[in-house]
Amino acid sequence: TPEATSVNITWLIRDFDELSVRQLYDVLELRQRVFVLEQTCLFPDIDNADGDFLHLLAYDCNQLIGYTRMGDVGASYPNVLTIGRVIVAETHRGRGLSRPLMTRSIDAVRARYGESLPITIGAQAHLQKLYRSMGFMPASTEYDEDGIMHIDMTLEGPASGATQ
């Protein structure tokens, strides 16, 4: 069985303007490799929105192996925060990286934009079980986005008065 998440992972949270040229190159290369080439989706990944998002990068040594971008209310959906462009590099899938990647993203987007706000994601439909296990619930019917079935899923904010 594949071993658990590597102890060598370095997690970085950056505003767009804080990304080094190398980090931005790594992000765009990974997104292209997974979304355009591996998933054969011809879509404008470089969408002029990255500057409005917070970015989480996971490096194993010098290799970018995981990534998300996180946005404030209105960045992708009205009235909710968002996490998108969720990627685990093919070389690191099956090693338990998805859960810490999402947990760190949830914590980071809430810390930056609002602890009590719900978070909505446009999840690939076949990953619903993973997202449900983290508390996300379906918020739409399934829909085709660039040839892949997706579903919007929402994680409600912590109950008011709840302690963390």
Side-chain angles (χ1 to χ4, degrees), residues 48-85:
N48 252 353
D50 286 314
D52 298 328
F53 284 80
L54 188 62
H55 303 267
L56 175 65
L57 295 79
Y59 280 92
D60 187 355
C61 298
N62 291 320
Q63 180 187 4
L64 182 65
I65 59 164
Y67 169 82
T68 64
R69 74 177 189 183
M70 301 151 285
D72 198 357
V73 170
S76 294
Y77 301 94
N79 308 315
V80 296
L81 305 175
T82 191
I83 299 170
R85 298 295 202 272

Side-chain angles (χ1 to χ4, degrees), residues 20-38:
S20 71
V21 172
R22 171 58 60 193
Q23 290 165 344
L24 178 59
Y25 183 91
D26 291 345
V27 165
L28 295 176
E29 189 275 333
L30 180 61
R31 287 180 5 189
Q32 176 182 287
R33 186 166 15 105
V34 173
F35 296 138
V36 178
L37 300 175
E38 180 183 325

Side-chain angles (χ1 to χ4, degrees), residues 9-28:
I9 293 180
T10 301
W11 299 92
L12 304 172
I13 296 172
R14 299 285 187 267
D15 285 314
F16 182 77
D17 291 335
E18 295 174 325
L19 293 169
S20 71
V21 172
R22 171 58 60 193
Q23 290 165 344
L24 178 59
Y25 183 91
D26 291 345
V27 165
L28 295 176

Side-chain angles (χ1 to χ4, degrees), residues 32-155:
Q32 176 182 287
R33 186 166 15 105
V34 173
F35 296 138
V36 178
L37 300 175
E38 180 183 325
Q39 297 179 356
T40 60
C41 292
L42 296 178
F43 78 107
D45 175 55
I46 300 174
D47 59 2
N48 252 353
D50 286 314
D52 298 328
F53 284 80
L54 188 62
H55 303 267
L56 175 65
L57 295 79
Y59 280 92
D60 187 355
C61 298
N62 291 320
Q63 180 187 4
L64 182 65
I65 59 164
Y67 169 82
T68 64
R69 74 177 189 183
M70 301 151 285
D72 198 357
V73 170
S76 294
Y77 301 94
N79 308 315
V80 296
L81 305 175
T82 191
I83 299 170
R85 298 295 202 272
V86 179
I87 304 174
V88 173
E90 188 174 27
T91 56
H92 284 70
R93 291 183 197 146
R95 297 187 188 188
L97 187 60
S98 296
R99 190 168 299 279
L101 180 68
M102 283 302 295
T103 299
R104 287 173 183 268
S105 297
I106 291 164
D107 291 346
V109 73
R110 284 199 167 140
R112 171 63 61 92
Y113 301 115
E115 291 290 335
S116 63
L117 295 170
I119 301 168
T120 296
I121 59 174
Q124 291 187 6
H126 72 276
L127 297 173
Q128 284 184 72
K129 184 177 178 181
L130 167 68
Y131 293 121
R132 278 180 180 268
S133 74
M134 300 188 75
F136 286 88
M137 299 305 292
S140 74
T141 57
E142 290 186 17
Y143 56 91
D144 183 303
E145 184 174 308
D146 302 310
I148 296 175
M149 293 308 292
H150 283 72
I151 186 168
D152 292 342
M153 300 185 78
T154 298
L155 176 66

